[in-house]
Amino acid sequence: MKSRPRGAALALPLIALLALLVPMTALLAPLTPARAHADENKTKPSVTLSTTEAAKGADVTVTGQGWRPGALLMLLVCGQSDPEHGVIGGTNSCANADGQAVTTDAKGSFSKVLSAAPPPKPCPCVVHVATVQGEQALVDSELTITGHPVAPLPSEAGEGKLAVLAEPRLDGSGSLLTWFGAPPARTLVFTVGNLGAAPVKDPVFELGTAHGVFAPQWEERQWKGTIAPGGKAEIKLAFELSPGAHGDYQISLRYAKKLLATEPWGVDRPWGVTLFWILLCLVVPAAVFRIGMAVVDRLRPRTPRRPGEPGPTGPARHRGVRLPEVT
């Protein structure tokens, strides 16, 4: 029986190698993380109330459009707030026990019945709708609660009461987990002074993260403490980016809708993820090639030996060398 040509013996592992490398090119596409920011031209989220005035405990239907599909939202009735200044004092001004959660549909819409529970702070009041996780978005819609006390907004709501006195900095560094795609985290440290005539208690700052040319995505951060008139305080606000984020970012700080400071941040690429995929593309094809060669060697036909011819392990078969006869 004729032996199979050596080229035919290599055909099977080469075909297996090519069949594996084709899908590998598709696996390399996720190495670049998806952009964390949506297109600026998308529809802005909005909220509509079934009534703008309700009695204590009455039901108000909250309808929203233009939100992120599948987003989890929290609905709260908050006092000491208005759409221009937001929720002064953070969620401490809201009726948290009577809040509602809702998930938007595939079109980014929702409808939920919310009780007009009296908040712990006097009106003006709003229905505060905000995302719980992911890309931050919030909308405040005015709501008048019949019989609930009304008081002017505190003086701390005015712009220009807090000012940054020293250059902010980003504290923290990467770790081995960050090198393999864990969320990069830092702490924004800055010193603010109270330029107003009244103390500022538990101020609520907004941290914005912007990637490239995209607009900042804002997230509320409340600092516990009181800054007396003419006083100052060092504030530390921790935050993190999405997993696998890298590139040029800009961190912004805002208070009472006024921009206080910006700080650039160059985030290193998670090279550990890239190294993992490179090693995977080298090791897996090599292993498949060795397995294919072993299978081919086992399945290929063997040439029958002639009588008196030494076996494959004999010295005469070693590398095809004929040994001289001994006389």
Side-chain angles (χ1 to χ4, degrees), residues 16-227:
L17 179 61
L18 291 175
L20 183 64
L21 289 178
V22 171
M24 279 294 178
T25 57
L27 291 176
L28 290 175
L31 289 178
T32 303
R35 292 187 179 273
H37 307 296
D39 190 0
E40 292 182 351
N41 295 328
K42 68 178 182 179
T43 304
K44 293 184 178 180
S46 62
V47 169
T48 303
L49 306 181
S50 59
T51 178
T52 58
E53 184 173 356
K56 295 181 180 180
D59 290 339
V60 178
T61 301
V62 184
T63 305
Q65 294 86 26
W67 296 82
R68 190 173 70 250
L72 179 61
L73 308 179
M74 177 60 69
L75 285 65
L76 296 171
V77 177
C78 303
Q80 194 176 267
S81 312
D82 64 13
E84 181 181 356
H85 298 97
V87 180
I88 301 172
T91 54
N92 292 335
S93 303
C94 306
N96 297 309
D98 297 283
Q100 295 287 341
V102 64
T103 302
T104 59
D105 57 20
K107 297 182 179 180
S109 304
F110 72 89
S111 181
K112 188 71 174 180
V113 176
L114 178 67
S115 174
K121 299 292 184 178
C123 285
C125 299
V126 299
V127 172
H128 180 73
V129 182
T131 53
V132 176
Q133 56 188 5
E135 181 182 344
Q136 291 294 318
L138 61 90
V139 173
D140 295 325
S141 185
E142 292 184 3
L143 176 65
T144 301
I145 301 178
T146 306
H148 192 63
V150 179
L153 294 177
S155 58
E156 291 88 346
E159 296 183 358
K161 299 301 180 181
L162 292 182
V164 175
L165 303 180
E167 185 71 19
R169 69 179 189 273
L170 294 175
D171 281 357
S173 60
S175 63
L176 182 62
L177 294 178
T178 307
W179 203 64
F180 281 95
R186 291 291 187 271
T187 299
L188 181 64
V189 182
F190 57 97
T191 302
V192 295
N194 185 4
L195 305 181
V200 178
K201 182 180 180 181
D202 299 338
V204 178
F205 297 94
E206 290 181 282
L207 273 179
T209 56
H211 186 201
V213 298
F214 290 90
Q217 302 296 317
W218 298 98
E219 186 176 357
E220 290 186 351
R221 287 287 190 273
Q222 185 173 26
W223 181 76
K224 294 290 186 178
T226 302
I227 306 175

